[in-house]
């Protein structure tokens, strides 16, 4: 939604937590979504910075629904933020990243980052866009080990093993996979990650509009897998999976109505409500969706602290990032938080046993989040719209992929992306 400057000024006045953004006494300005800025580890690092340095922060919090438009307005104004919190996703393409933000390749804290956190924050040319100061997760196939073990099933190691297990469970009258088909479509990005993370040249050609999804056999294979899973009953009853949204996943898994979900570990600590089964009953294996025979995991999607190179306090902004990346400070902020470590020296966070037990498999098959972050014009909402057409029977797998292309190309054109004009 486009925000007029007057309305934007009102929002910023109401949501700022310190001095006005153009006041030198206010220190550096940090802008982000209201829900992001109010995370406990964010407020902890903000308070710690002010208490230990004696410097003030001006926090600009914007309601989530208004954030992207407000951030673009503010970045182009006479009082831009010094630090912008943003995910490395498709919305970032709406900014002139190269000319607006400082590359952080040479910062002294780079060696503090874990390999997966560092990889998430790199652009296509290997430039570090921001400091990943956020809760991280591991996305994969979380399965009810209690039930599967009792039936004599072991975690799948290949696509064929996974498909065989799904069919066997269906034949036993069970629902193998909780598929939240009512608006939740992060699952598809997991399947696409290995296609493009493992072939950067293919990703580059896609982003130059030299090839489309429809030209890539693995993408069609994924679509056919989803189509077959639905037709084979692996997702359960059509009415159920097409009406299951975010709020229905917990009930399906905790009751045993469904035995697996393509989701992430931190969800079990933030949204899962125990029932007949608790988080102790679940374990982790790769996602198998027709694109990689050995399966895949996706590393966390992280909020980055990006430094505005045209901001009034660049040096002070870099000092703030260095403060956040210091072990005693990030360990204080993330104490007791359930997250995969983003920093090598992170010791006070809680790491899921599901993840640590799968460490060897993760080391082999985890990819950095790629589809949602690196594909120009990619949108999970658009993928949902396209897939829903297939799942309600109005098109087939090929048509689903063609619809994905149509939405993606239209979004790329709207962004004036090179090759799409």
């Amino acid at each position: 939604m486009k925000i007029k400057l007057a309305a934007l000024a009102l929002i910023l006045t109401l949501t700022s937590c310190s001095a006005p953004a153009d006041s030198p006494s206010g220190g550096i300005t940090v802008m982000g979504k209201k829900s992001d800025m109010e995370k406990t580890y964010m407020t902890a690092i903000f308070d710690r910075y002010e208490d230990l340095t004696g410097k003030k922060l001006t926090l600009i919090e914007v309601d989530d629904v208004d954030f992207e438009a407000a951030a673009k307005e503010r970045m182009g104004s006479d009082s831009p933020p010094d630090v912008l919190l943003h995910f490395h996703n498709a919305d970032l393409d709406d900014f002139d990243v190269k000319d607006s933000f400082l590359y952080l390749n040479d910062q002294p804290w780079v060696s503090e980052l874990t390999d997966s956190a560092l990889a998430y924050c790199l652009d296509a040319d290997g430039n570090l866009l921001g400091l990943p100061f956020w809760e991280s997760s591991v996305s994969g196939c979380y399965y009810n080990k209690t039930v599967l073990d009792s039936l004599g099933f072991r975690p799948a190691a290949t696509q064929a093993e996974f498909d065989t297990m799904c069919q066997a469970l269906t034949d036993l009258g069970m629902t193998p996979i909780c598929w939240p088909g009512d608006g939740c479509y992060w699952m598809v990005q997991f399947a696409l990650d290995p296609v493009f993370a493992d072939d950067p040249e293919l990703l580059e050609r896609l982003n130059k509009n030299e090839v489309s999804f429809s030209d890539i056999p693995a993408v069609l294979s994924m679509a056919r897998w989803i189509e077959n899973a639905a037709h084979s009953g692996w997702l359960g009853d059509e009415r159920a999976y097409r009406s299951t949204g975010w709020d229905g996943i917990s009930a399906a898994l905790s009751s045993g109505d469904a035995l697996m979900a393509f989701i992430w570990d931190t969800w079990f600590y933030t949204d899962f409500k125990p029932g007949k089964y608790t988080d102790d009953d679940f374990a982790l294996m790769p996602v198998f969706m027709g694109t990689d025979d050995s399966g895949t995991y996706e590393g966390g999607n992280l909020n980055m602290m990006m430094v505005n190179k045209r901001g009034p306090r660049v040096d002070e902004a870099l000092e703030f990032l260095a403060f956040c990346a210091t072990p005693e400070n990030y360990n204080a902020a993330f104490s007791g938080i359930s997250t995969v470590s983003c920093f090598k020296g992170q010791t006070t966070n809680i790491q899921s046993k599901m993840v640590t037990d799968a460490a060897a498999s993760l080391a082999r098959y985890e990819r950095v989040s790629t589809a949602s972050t690196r594909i120009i014009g990619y949108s999970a909402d658009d993928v949902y719209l396209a897939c829903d057409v297939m799942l309600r029977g109005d098109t087939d797998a090929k048509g689903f992929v063609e619809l994905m292309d149509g939405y993606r190309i239209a979004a790329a054109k709207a962004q004036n992306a090179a090759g799409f004009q």
Side-chain angles (χ1 to χ4, degrees), residues 290-342:
T291 59
D292 190 287
D293 187 60
S294 298
T296 187
Y297 304 97
E298 183 181 85
N301 289 277
L302 307 172
N303 221 336
M304 305 181 295
M305 294 181 177
M306 305 176 69
V307 174
N308 178 7
K309 66 166 54 177
R310 294 192 292 249
R313 305 174 185 87
V314 173
D315 289 342
E316 193 172 342
L318 291 173
E319 291 174 3
F320 170 66
L321 265 61
F323 179 91
C324 295
T326 300
E328 56 266 35
N329 296 327
Y330 61 66
N331 274 316
F334 283 98
S335 179
I337 300 296
S338 174
T339 175
V340 174
S341 298
C342 289

Side-chain angles (χ1 to χ4, degrees), residues 206 209 211-215 219 375-379 381-383 385-387 397-415 420:
L206 183 75
N209 204 23
V211 297
S212 66
F213 283 148
S214 298
D215 299 320
V219 179
I375 295 176
I376 293 173
Y378 185 90
S379 163
D381 291 338
D382 289 343
V383 172
L385 294 174
C387 192
K398 184 173 181 291
F400 165 37
V401 176
E402 290 172 350
L403 286 170
M404 286 177 61
D405 270 326
Y407 285 123
R408 177 184 58 85
I409 291 170
K413 286 181 178 179
Q415 294 169 2
F420 290 89

Side-chain angles (χ1 to χ4, degrees), residues 9-321:
L10 177 60
I11 291 172
L12 298 180
T13 299
L14 292 175
T15 58
S16 175
C17 298
S18 187
D22 55 357
S23 169
S25 64
I28 64 168
T29 56
V30 182
M31 183 177 189
K33 292 180 180 178
K34 188 174 190 293
S35 64
D36 292 347
M37 300 277 274
E38 293 179 354
K39 296 285 189 182
T40 56
Y41 45 86
M42 298 304 297
T43 58
I45 198 66
F46 295 151
D47 291 345
R48 186 175 176 86
Y49 175 79
E50 292 189 333
D51 290 344
L52 294 184
T53 68
K55 297 179 180 179
K56 295 297 182 182
L57 296 172
T58 298
L59 305 182
I60 306 171
E61 302 179 355
V62 180
D63 287 340
D64 292 14
V65 68
D66 298 326
F67 174 72
E68 297 299 336
K72 283 180 280 189
E73 292 276 9
R74 189 77 188 222
M75 285 293 295
S77 73
D78 291 334
S79 55
D82 298 295
V83 175
L84 181 71
L85 267 64
H86 205 289
F87 287 86
H88 193 180
N89 57 22
D91 289 328
L92 191 60
D93 294 334
D94 292 336
F95 296 86
D96 186 350
V97 174
K98 183 177 181 180
D99 289 336
S100 299
F101 299 102
L102 199 67
Y103 291 149
L104 303 173
N105 308 336
D106 60 350
Q107 292 304 298
W109 44 260
V110 174
S111 61
E112 280 286 314
L113 302 179
T114 62
D115 291 344
S116 59
L118 174 63
Y120 176 85
C121 299
L122 300 178
D123 67 10
D125 297 319
N127 295 305
L128 181 58
L129 300 179
L131 171 70
F133 196 90
W134 199 243
E135 59 190 273
S136 188
S137 60
V138 172
S139 297
C141 179
Y142 288 83
Y143 66 95
N144 190 320
K145 65 181 180 182
T146 300
V147 173
L148 265 60
D149 286 353
S150 72
L151 296 171
F153 291 108
R154 63 180 184 181
T158 66
Q159 183 73 57
E161 288 183 8
F162 185 76
D163 292 353
T164 297
M165 179 171 62
C166 286
Q167 189 58 55
L169 292 169
T170 301
D171 292 343
L172 291 170
M174 301 177 177
T175 298
I177 302 168
C178 176
W179 186 269
D182 184 15
C184 302
Y185 265 76
W186 57 77
M187 302 84 76
V188 169
Q189 75 189 51
F190 303 159
L192 294 178
D193 281 344
V195 178
F196 298 103
D198 297 355
D199 192 344
E201 183 179 343
L202 179 63
L203 175 62
E204 184 177 4
R205 292 179 64 207
L206 183 75
N207 283 337
K208 289 182 177 179
N209 204 23
E210 295 174 355
V211 297
S212 66
F213 283 148
S214 298
D215 299 320
I216 302 171
V219 179
L220 181 58
S221 175
M222 174 206 69
R224 286 176 173 158
W225 185 90
I226 297 172
E227 183 179 40
N228 178 67
H231 290 167
S232 300
W234 300 351
L235 312 182
D237 176 76
E238 178 184 354
R239 182 178 299 178
Y241 69 71
R242 289 192 63 225
S243 62
T244 297
W246 174 260
D247 293 335
I249 306 171
S250 179
L253 294 183
S254 65
S255 66
D257 288 347
L259 301 179
M260 296 181 278
F262 302 144
I263 204 159
W264 46 93
D265 61 305
T266 54
W267 175 85
F268 282 90
Y269 298 90
T270 58
D271 293 87
F272 180 73
K273 295 178 176 60
K276 181 179 180 180
Y277 299 101
T278 73
D279 58 289
D280 289 334
D281 292 298
F282 288 85
L284 173 62
M285 65 178 163
V287 168
F288 296 94
M289 287 182 65
T291 59
D292 190 287
D293 187 60
S294 298
T296 187
Y297 304 97
E298 183 181 85
N301 289 277
L302 307 172
N303 221 336
M304 305 181 295
M305 294 181 177
M306 305 176 69
V307 174
N308 178 7
K309 66 166 54 177
R310 294 192 292 249
R313 305 174 185 87
V314 173
D315 289 342
E316 193 172 342
L318 291 173
E319 291 174 3
F320 170 66
L321 265 61

